Amino acid sequence: MTAIGSATDVDRLGTVLGVWAHPDDEAYLSGGLMALARDRGARVVCVTATRGELGTEHPDVWPPDRLAAARTYELAHCLAILGVHEHHWLGHADGRCSAVPTAQAVARLCDVIACVRPDTVLTFGPDGITGHPDHRTVSAWTTAAFEQAAPPGARLLYATFAERRAARWAPLNERLGIFPPGLPVLTPERLLAVDVELDAGTADRKVRALAAQRTQTAELMAFVGLERFTAWVGDESFVDAAASGVAATA
């Protein structure tokens, strides 16, 4: 399969449904694709499992209720920048997705898929990108729901990192401590279904969308620097689940 690698190729995604665990997952992993798809008139729908109420290193400043409210507002702002106006919360507790009955979670996503009838579903791979248990669980739910409810011809794409990025960004990734040993999973270019290097305008828009989620990104962007941060998030890559040979597990 020829990888999607340009704005024109994005047309091949059709209607896009993204299913993610926390606010900001969608922007980091697919913000550019969402913006490009919307600019070309495609329907884009985003689903978020939790409000990310535990996502802080400053719990004294951001207790769960306050952070959930802030991240709800931030995600709405982020999606507006990307041009995405259809969003669904699943309402699960941050860090507790694995405690949700699988059949219940999958049935909810089957309903969303049946309503949206996406051509392309985007989510985490079984590794969860960072290994976060919520990410891995959402991957498993989405995979099961896709298998049960996706329309004929639809594709399920797992977020991944292009192998070509490893050498450039490994030192920064290690310094930030985002990935545990063995992650991120790196995918050779020949296996990528989507391999987009964002143009300058789209990259800037993605960064503005991420900056809107300031409780999660303000300190990081200040630490890394705007130019380097923009380059760091300037690629988006996905592998076709059907060709990945890996089963999702919660």
Side-chain angles (χ1 to χ4, degrees):
M1 178 182 298
T2 302
I4 292 170
S6 71
T8 301
D9 291 338
V10 168
D11 289 339
R12 291 160 43 202
L13 295 174
T15 294
V16 177
L17 171 65
V19 185
W20 308 103
H22 314 101
D24 82 1
D25 294 334
E26 73 300 311
Y28 270 118
L29 297 175
S30 66
L33 281 179
M34 289 193 293
L36 289 169
R38 289 295 297 132
D39 285 351
R40 302 185 74 82
R43 183 183 183 190
V44 177
V45 182
C46 181
V47 173
T48 311
T50 82
R51 295 184 190 258
E53 64 269 18
L54 301 182
T56 182
E57 296 180 358
H58 310 288
D60 52 330
V61 177
W62 292 106
D65 287 350
R66 183 182 180 207
L67 186 57
R71 296 191 74 177
T72 298
Y73 171 80
E74 289 174 349
L75 180 55
H77 187 193
C78 165
L79 292 176
I81 291 169
L82 299 174
V84 176
H85 305 293
E86 294 184 71
H87 177 256
H88 302 272
W89 294 103
L90 298 184
H92 302 307
D94 190 5
R96 297 286 295 163
C97 286
S98 62
V100 178
T102 298
Q104 172 188 320
V106 171
R108 176 74 182 280
L109 286 176
C110 282
D111 289 344
V112 174
I113 291 172
C115 179
V116 175
R117 295 190 62 78
D119 299 294
T120 303
V121 177
L122 308 177
T123 193
F124 310 98
D127 57 285
I129 292 290
T130 63
H132 192 298
D134 283 350
H135 294 188
R136 295 177 62 205
T137 299
V138 167
S139 174
W141 291 347
T142 307
T143 301
F146 181 89
E147 291 171 351
Q148 293 179 35
R155 289 195 301 162
L156 174 63
L157 302 183
Y158 291 149
T160 189
F161 281 88
E163 191 174 60
R164 61 183 163 74
R165 300 185 72 197
R168 181 180 185 186
W169 296 116
L172 178 59
N173 290 340
E174 183 175 353
R175 188 175 182 187
L176 295 175
I178 295 171
F179 302 103
L183 295 176
V185 171
L186 302 175
T187 301
E189 186 172 352
R190 70 182 186 280
L191 299 180
L192 295 172
V194 172
D195 185 24
V196 175
E197 293 186 8
L198 303 178
D199 63 89
T202 304
D204 175 72
R205 188 168 164 193
K206 176 176 179 174
V207 169
R208 286 189 288 112
L210 283 163
Q213 302 201 49
R214 64 181 314 277
T215 62
Q216 306 304 298
T217 60
E219 291 184 7
L220 177 59
M221 292 175 70
F223 176 77
V224 174
L226 182 60
E227 183 176 352
R228 197 176 188 202
F229 182 86
T230 302
W232 186 56
V233 301
D235 295 70
E236 293 177 3
S237 301
F238 289 80
V239 62
D240 195 312
S244 69
V246 180
T249 55

